[in-house]
Amino acid sequence: MWFEHPRNPKSPLAGLKVVELARVLAGPWAGQILADLGADVIKVESPEGDGTRLWGPPWVERTDAHGKLHREAAYYHACNRGKRSIVADFREGNDLKRVRDLCADADVVIENFKTGSLAKFGLDFASLAARNPRMVYCSITGFGQTGPRSHEAGYDFVIQGMSGFMSVTGEPEGDPMKMGVSISDLATGTWAANGIQAALLQRERPGPMQGRGQHLDMALMDCSVALLANQASYFLNTGDNPPRMGNAHAQVAPYGVFPVSDGHVILAPANDGLFAKLASLLGRADWSDNPDFTSNAGRVGNAAELDPQIALETAKWTKAGLLAACKEHGVPAGPINNLDEVFDDPQVAARGMRIELDGMLGIRSPFSFSEGELAMDRPSPMLGEDD
């Protein structure tokens, strides 16, 4: 029944069957990426539905085929596009059998239940793989399937703090800050989708795993630590905790937010040549002759002296004027946009990032293929729409 209405055959994952036993953000985000890439994603929800359906305001209202009005949070629609929805109560025998049967020929199962809790329903990897050895089974948890915290629940905000991410985010003298989006959840979902596709490729390639699926263990904590990137390298190679820098950069200067007469702009002249161009357009060619500023290392060490001088010069410009001059001189710079400005940006419009599906607005997954196409054919499902 799931292929009565085939998705876009030009999509890279067309024909792939995914069963999503996940809710909130990390798991559904992974499922939405696969759905955008053409997979047929069947979202299995409890009778109450995914909790994010209630995470409003803001709300989105729409009417189903029977004229019933559905009121759902906009949050839910950010991570459930392109899926089907069925309702199942795992405590009910017929519902549980139905879910097991769906998994019996699934290419992928995604779940984000607490470690070990699906075993009592026979929906764990070992139970399902006995019937479907080709299945790629992705578990998404706070701390992973192993380790002393493996049975603890994980929440994005808490993980951002525990992972060290917040220690490097915020103003130097201010409080540690979380990101403005649930970065731990989103990163985990994105990496999960990547890992799932790698496991699917390994299943198809000649070798010891040909024809076999496997269990993919994704943890918010792991993914958040991985996001530390150069900050982790800073610590691991010096033994020192990297400082919070606000909008500045610990290894590049100037690199930050500077005032203009009608707001602020970002300037990022990340090498000596670009700094010379910035100095020239601001009428301060003398900076390029100052031995304290001629090298990046010098500028980093003397940022407390240089940045205020740059701010005095940029404050003489309007935002549009300075950005135009930077563009003309090849100096990396940009505005700090509100979301209305983001979606009015001609570049964002040209790339088709804003989409509309049956009156529902959203943003597409940011893949652009020379031949393949995304499967932009349906909005997020209403609860139990495909029962």
Side-chain angles (χ1 to χ4, degrees), residues 5-336:
H5 305 287
R7 309 201 68 200
N8 188 341
K10 291 186 177 181
S11 297
L13 300 184
L16 195 76
K17 180 180 177 181
V18 179
V19 176
E20 182 187 295
L21 310 177
R23 64 272 196 225
V24 187
L25 184 53
W29 187 254
Q32 179 172 271
I33 293 172
L34 300 181
D36 276 0
L37 290 170
D40 195 57
V41 180
I42 305 156
K43 184 178 181 69
V44 180
E45 300 187 65
S46 70
E48 297 77 27
D50 189 318
T52 58
R53 290 181 182 271
L54 303 177
W55 284 14
W59 303 99
V60 174
E61 293 186 346
R62 53 183 175 163
T63 303
D64 65 22
H66 305 290
K68 180 181 177 181
L69 181 66
H70 292 253
R71 185 172 184 253
E72 303 147 328
Y75 192 115
Y76 163 77
H77 293 284
C79 50
N80 287 289
R81 176 180 58 248
K83 304 174 186 178
R84 307 177 192 270
S85 169
I86 67 169
V87 171
D89 185 341
F90 295 168
R91 297 165 297 183
E92 296 293 331
N94 288 337
D95 282 6
L96 183 56
K97 180 180 183 302
R98 184 186 186 196
V99 175
R100 287 175 179 162
D101 287 345
L102 281 175
C103 296
D105 65 348
D107 294 287
V108 177
V109 173
I110 302 171
E111 63 92 5
N112 62 353
F113 283 74
K114 193 173 179 181
T115 299
S117 62
L118 286 179
K120 62 185 175 183
F121 300 110
L123 294 174
D124 57 308
F125 171 69
S127 299
L128 294 179
R131 187 177 177 187
N132 180 8
R134 289 177 53 81
M135 171 194 66
V136 172
Y137 186 103
C138 178
S139 294
I140 297 177
T141 57
F143 298 98
Q145 303 294 304
T146 60
R149 294 186 178 272
S150 60
H151 288 280
E152 295 182 20
Y155 297 89
D156 177 274
F157 194 179
V158 176
I159 298 292
Q160 284 197 45
M162 292 182 66
S163 65
F165 194 79
M166 289 175 61
S167 76
V168 296
T169 306
E171 292 297 329
E173 303 303 323
D175 294 332
M177 295 293 292
K178 71 178 182 66
M179 281 283 289
V181 295
S182 298
I183 191 67
S184 295
D185 276 329
L186 295 171
T188 305
T190 301
W191 266 315
N194 194 22
I196 286 167
Q197 292 175 84
L200 289 169
L201 178 61
Q202 188 175 24
R203 185 183 75 178
E204 302 305 319
R205 295 173 62 184
M209 290 299 295
Q210 186 171 19
R212 294 173 52 202
Q214 58 186 292
H215 189 186
L216 181 61
D217 175 8
M218 300 297 304
L220 269 68
M221 186 69 166
D222 296 352
C223 292
S224 299
V225 171
L227 279 177
L228 292 174
N230 60 295
Q231 299 285 35
S233 186
Y234 181 115
F235 166 74
L236 293 171
N237 289 284
T238 67
D240 298 326
N241 285 313
R244 291 197 301 278
M245 299 291 295
N247 289 317
H249 196 295
Q251 288 84 37
V252 180
Y255 197 95
V257 175
F258 293 90
V260 288
S261 62
D262 54 349
H264 294 84
V265 298
I266 297 170
L267 298 178
N271 61 45
D272 296 345
L274 291 174
F275 173 69
K277 290 181 178 180
L278 175 66
S280 175
L281 78 87
L282 291 178
R284 292 299 305 268
D286 57 299
W287 290 341
S288 298
D289 298 325
N290 187 329
D292 289 341
F293 302 152
T294 53
S295 70
N296 180 68
R299 293 190 296 275
V300 170
N302 293 284
E305 178 186 352
L306 176 60
D307 284 357
Q309 293 186 49
I310 295 175
L312 286 174
E313 298 301 331
T314 60
K316 301 173 184 177
W317 295 69
T318 64
K319 183 195 299 186
L322 183 55
L323 290 177
C326 285
K327 182 177 181 180
E328 179 182 352
H329 287 78
V331 175
I336 301 172

